Amino acid sequence: MVNVILIAVCVLGLIGLASALILHLVSHKFAVHEDPRIGKVGAVLPQANCGGCGYPGCSGFAAACVKAADGGSLEGKFCPVGGQPVMEQVAEILGMSVAASAPKVAVVRCNGTCENRPRLAQFIGAQSCRVQQMTGMGETGCGYGCLGCGDCVSKCQFDALHMTLETGLPEVDEEKCTACGACAKACPRSIIEIRLKGPKGRRVVVLCSNKDKGAIANKVCKASCIGCGKCVKTCEKFEAITLENNLAYIDAEKCKMCRKCEEACPKGAIHGFNFPPRKPKVEEPAAPSAPTQNVELSKAE
């Protein structure tokens, strides 16, 4: 009986030894050697894994940066969460230089507040923008504006988006927003755009996404773009505004922020952000009229 047990133990030991030897040989043959620079780059990244860089997590972005560095350029590689300081650290690790990138911010291109865009129905069901989009127009007559369920808010990892009760729209906290783009991906109507933040945070944006013709857009929302083209005419010199599918759009790179388009818009669909208050126009006093002379006619004798 003892011999049988010893034989079984020896056989199992030999099987284990042979398996370990095979695994050792296989691990050496198929070993994947990771570039040590990937770990160094990954260590300086914020580890938010938001996907805003366009890669699957920070490890994927680190590998892409190392590969790009081997090609001689980091162009097109940017971590929106870490921003320029992190990219400078990445470039230093890889022995390269990186061009300065202008900061960006999420912008909700809709001004369909409760006052401007009245609710026509009540949606009973899952409070999700994506569900409402799949089942119909939502609670208003606008098929392009914000649905107001806050899918974008739930996707923001940085607490930079909040729904406001007064307007029924999401509001962006510019100090917290990292422009990762998670909210833009979550919006089923694509009304959230990642735009240039602008110098001192100043920018001019068309807060409307309605592509219906003017009469229809005006009927469903008081603040909608009606495609009249007045803003385009005011910007003929810089060509920063285009009109396509009944909707005006401002190119942030061409815009000189003169705000003439904002004044020209008859619907108030164009908004300037973070500008100082406009100075009230002072009316010039009217020129005094010439004094009238009383001429007395002498009576004929």
Side-chain angles (χ1 to χ4, degrees), residues 1-13:
M1 185 68 179
V2 176
N3 291 335
V4 174
I5 296 174
L6 289 175
I7 292 171
V9 170
C10 291
V11 170
L12 289 174

Side-chain angles (χ1 to χ4, degrees), residues 6 26 55 59 63 66 72 82 114 119 140 146-147 180 190 209 213 215 219 228 240 271 275-276 288 301:
L6 289 175
V26 170
Y55 294 92
S59 59
V66 172
C114 301
R119 270 49 180 170
T140 71
C146 177
L147 288 160
C180 68
S190 302
S209 302
K213 291 185 178 180
K219 185 177 181 180
C228 63
H271 287 248
F275 287 92
E301 296 179 355

Side-chain angles (χ1 to χ4, degrees), residues 29-88:
K29 183 175 180 60
F30 297 102
V32 178
H33 299 284
E34 183 181 87
D35 192 318
R37 295 177 297 172
I38 296 177
K40 293 180 180 179
V41 171
V44 301
L45 296 177
Q47 302 303 320
N49 296 315
C50 61
C53 58
Y55 294 92
C58 292
S59 59
F61 179 67
C65 287
V66 172
K67 185 177 180 180
D70 291 338
S73 174
L74 286 174
E75 185 177 357
K77 302 294 182 291
F78 188 74
C79 172
V81 179
Q84 190 66 22
V86 166
M87 290 309 301
E88 289 176 357

